[in-house]
Amino acid sequence: AVLLAPTPQQQNKCPALQPKAEPRQAHDARTLSPHHAQVARSTAAASAMPALVHRRPFQSTTSAPKSMAASPNYSEAMSKERQRAAAQQGNLDATACIKELEISLAKGEIALEEYLAVSAKLQGHDAGEQKKAEAAAPSLAATRTKRMLEVTVSKIFPAGFGWQMASIYAGNAGLASTSVPFFLATGMGDCVGVFLGHTGFKAIQKAAGYEVNLKNETQTGLHLGSAAFMSGAAWQPTLNALQVLECTFNQAALGVGASCTLAFFVGLRLFRKVYSSLGWEAVEENNYENLKGDIGLSVSIGGATAAFVGTDVSYGAANWLAPVVGISENCPDALGQVIAGSSTALGFMATQHVQNNMLPEGKNWID
């Protein structure tokens, strides 16, 4: 088979397609005058130099590592002359070069063996660079942990803190812990804690130089706070009912966690529908994708509310969380609020840690 010579355009785009130029024949100095003989000898010396020096260097549209041209693998696919020219150019676009090779192979301009050899070297280099980039990037576990801590600090701790503060004010106002006004007051405390914690955290980030849209973050804070109102209002009546049923501490914690998971989820979906209908850009309409995310977040909120049961020391020794987050009657109010926020943070992180380790990338709401 006769192979067609590559066109000049293809030679310029891909160094691997450029043929070596044959040196021009030198004149016989014996038939020339001394002056012309000297010119002939200079011309012959110049002709013996690598042909690629007289060509336009390889032009790349995408920067690639300079080390590529100097690597041992790539030198097997290019002559030493082309390698030096490519190193001077400093950039090699492996993808563009492989595409040119494929075009030339389809036209029958290069042999299959040459195409396989050169493309394999180029692809091997790209794969190595990709592995280096992946190694330098933060791991999935580190990214999830960082986001989990941000959510804990900005929303979960303030939620427990706000609930406890509201319960203190409600109690001082004479509201019984079995009354509806008490439930609504504590739910509002939960809501305000989440909203102020989220917007305050984002405001600090913006002041620190991060790119933050405070309008959108305010809408997000109201959405999450509204859902927190539902779970915060459901916490006390659920615990009251389970205590009437004489449930153990573990049973009460699981029951409260399940109830608040459902309440928070209903709040997310309900207020997502309300706020998106108002044209809020930061709140998506209900769809399947955010349905899965809402479920995952609600489960972690359920873990936070379950740990919050640990603040109730009336269970005695059965409350194995009491030594850590128990709030006694003589505990100062300010300290009790900090302990309450710590209990919700503890439960949230424990539950979210399980999701972080079990769910693949893209399946966790925190991703």
Side-chain angles (χ1 to χ4, degrees), residues 14 16 68 71-78 94 97-98 101-102 105 110-125:
C14 185
M68 180 177 179
S71 66
N73 291 338
Y74 194 69
S75 64
E76 296 176 10
M78 299 177 64
C97 192
I98 291 175
L101 289 173
E102 292 174 351
L105 178 64
I110 61 173
L112 178 61
E113 292 78 7
E114 183 180 0
Y115 165 77
L116 294 176
V118 177
S119 62
K121 302 304 179 185
L122 294 172
Q123 290 173 349
H125 177 85

Side-chain angles (χ1 to χ4, degrees), residues 142-187:
T143 301
R144 286 177 169 180
T145 300
K146 176 178 177 293
R147 292 174 179 171
M148 178 183 69
L149 293 175
E150 289 180 354
V151 173
T152 302
V153 171
S154 63
K155 288 171 276 291
I156 306 304
F157 178 88
F161 188 97
W163 193 101
Q164 185 67 16
M165 177 183 290
S167 70
I168 293 173
Y169 280 107
N172 292 338
L175 299 178
S177 61
T178 55
S179 64
V180 173
F182 182 91
F183 306 153
L184 297 178
T186 52

Side-chain angles (χ1 to χ4, degrees), residues 145 148 300 348-358:
T145 300
M148 178 183 69
S300 292
F348 174 83
M349 288 192 295
T351 309
Q352 186 59 43
H353 184 70
V354 175
Q355 293 194 53
N356 290 349
N357 285 277
M358 291 184 60

Side-chain angles (χ1 to χ4, degrees), residues 327-356:
I327 301 177
S328 60
E329 292 183 0
N330 58 355
C331 179
D333 291 344
L335 178 59
Q337 294 165 27
V338 173
I339 294 175
S342 300
S343 69
T344 55
L346 177 65
F348 174 83
M349 288 192 295
T351 309
Q352 186 59 43
H353 184 70
V354 175
Q355 293 194 53
N356 290 349

Side-chain angles (χ1 to χ4, degrees), residues 189-248:
D190 211 330
C191 170
V192 172
V194 170
F195 173 73
L196 293 180
H198 177 79
T199 54
F201 184 81
K202 292 302 179 180
I204 293 173
Q205 283 187 321
K206 185 175 181 63
Y210 290 88
E211 185 176 352
V212 177
N213 187 325
L214 289 180
K215 177 183 177 181
N216 286 351
E217 296 302 339
T218 300
Q219 295 175 358
T220 300
L222 283 172
H223 180 215
L224 295 174
S226 300
F229 169 80
M230 301 287 286
S231 59
W235 190 89
Q236 188 66 58
T238 302
L239 181 61
N240 292 344
L242 294 173
Q243 288 178 341
V244 170
L245 295 175
E246 298 183 351
C247 292
T248 64

Side-chain angles (χ1 to χ4, degrees), residues 67-91:
S67 59
M68 180 177 179
S71 66
N73 291 338
Y74 194 69
S75 64
E76 296 176 10
M78 299 177 64
S79 65
K80 293 181 179 180
E81 292 82 4
R82 296 192 184 100
Q83 182 182 349
R84 284 196 296 270
Q88 293 175 358
Q89 179 66 19
N91 295 317

